[in-house]
């Protein structure tokens, strides 16, 4: 059995491609780490992410998690997986997210089938591992590759 290797040259190549074809993706988190079936992003809340009470809005956190899971998918399956779309997504908001500190989102791919990918993401405040929200989702797999 051979060791897995991404089709991307580097995380920078992934970021460059996304910047060309998915304008604004970094508005909901900067890629800080990516690996086989996993990704981590960091969101520094801006006024557009906040609602009354200096809290990060649910839609901003939802988008952050969706992008983080998508990054794990395309890093793992390669550029062809960029055509993947979210089939469904669920959220569980566990605590109020502070609007004055960065948020970290960690995603992992639970199952990558030929047609469907199942993923989860957990968000927490930077420096505090207590979860703020849990997200689960399924995505189409345009590559047909099972891993």
């Amino acid at each position: 059995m051979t060791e897995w290797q991404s089709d991307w040259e580097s995380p920078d190549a992934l970021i460059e491609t996304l910047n060309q074809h998915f304008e604004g993706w970094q508005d909901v988190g900067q890629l800080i780490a990516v690996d086989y079936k996993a990704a981590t992003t960091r969101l520094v809340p801006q006024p557009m992410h906040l609602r009354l009470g200096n809290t990060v809005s649910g839609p901003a956190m939802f988008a952050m998690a969706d992008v983080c899971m998508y990054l794990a998918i395309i890093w793992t399956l390669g550029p062809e997986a960029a055509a993947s779309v979210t089939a469904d997504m669920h959220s569980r908001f566990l605590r109020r997210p502070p609007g004055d500190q960065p948020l970290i989102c960690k995603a992992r791919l639970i199952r990558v089938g030929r047609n469907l990918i199942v993923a989860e993401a957990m968000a927490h405040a930077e420096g505090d591992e207590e979860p703020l929200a849990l997200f689960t989702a399924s995505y189409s797999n345009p590559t047909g590759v099972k891993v």
Side-chain angles (χ1 to χ4, degrees):
M1 182 174 164
T2 60
E3 189 173 314
W4 175 87
Q5 183 176 345
S6 179
D7 290 343
W8 297 94
E9 287 181 27
S10 68
D12 289 338
L14 171 64
I15 290 169
E16 183 179 323
T17 299
L18 282 173
N19 287 341
Q20 292 172 5
H21 301 285
F22 186 8
E23 187 177 329
W25 74 273
Q26 292 190 64
D27 291 344
V28 291
Q30 301 287 321
L31 179 63
I32 58 173
V34 67
D35 201 352
Y36 177 68
K37 297 173 81 172
T40 304
T41 58
R42 180 177 187 260
L43 172 68
V44 178
Q46 303 299 312
M48 67 187 239
H49 302 123
L50 302 178
R51 63 177 175 86
L52 293 174
N54 194 36
T55 186
V56 177
S57 72
M61 292 183 65
F62 200 87
M64 174 182 68
D66 192 29
V67 167
C68 192
M69 291 184 278
Y70 178 71
L71 290 168
I73 290 167
I74 59 177
W75 179 260
T76 301
L77 294 175
E80 188 180 330
S84 178
V85 294
T86 309
D88 80 317
M89 189 165 163
H90 302 272
S91 60
R92 288 172 184 82
F93 296 103
L94 307 171
R95 295 188 308 141
R96 185 184 75 80
D100 59 354
Q101 63 188 110
L103 303 182
I104 303 296
C105 186
K106 296 179 180 178
R108 72 180 185 104
L109 307 183
I110 297 169
R111 181 179 185 278
V112 179
R114 285 191 231 341
N115 298 311
L116 199 66
I117 300 162
V118 178
E120 72 174 4
M122 187 81 70
H124 62 87
E126 190 170 65
D128 180 359
E129 292 294 320
E130 272 302 305
L132 298 170
L134 170 66
F135 303 90
T136 56
S138 60
Y139 297 81
S140 65
N141 183 352
T143 69
V145 174
K146 180 179 179 180
V147 295

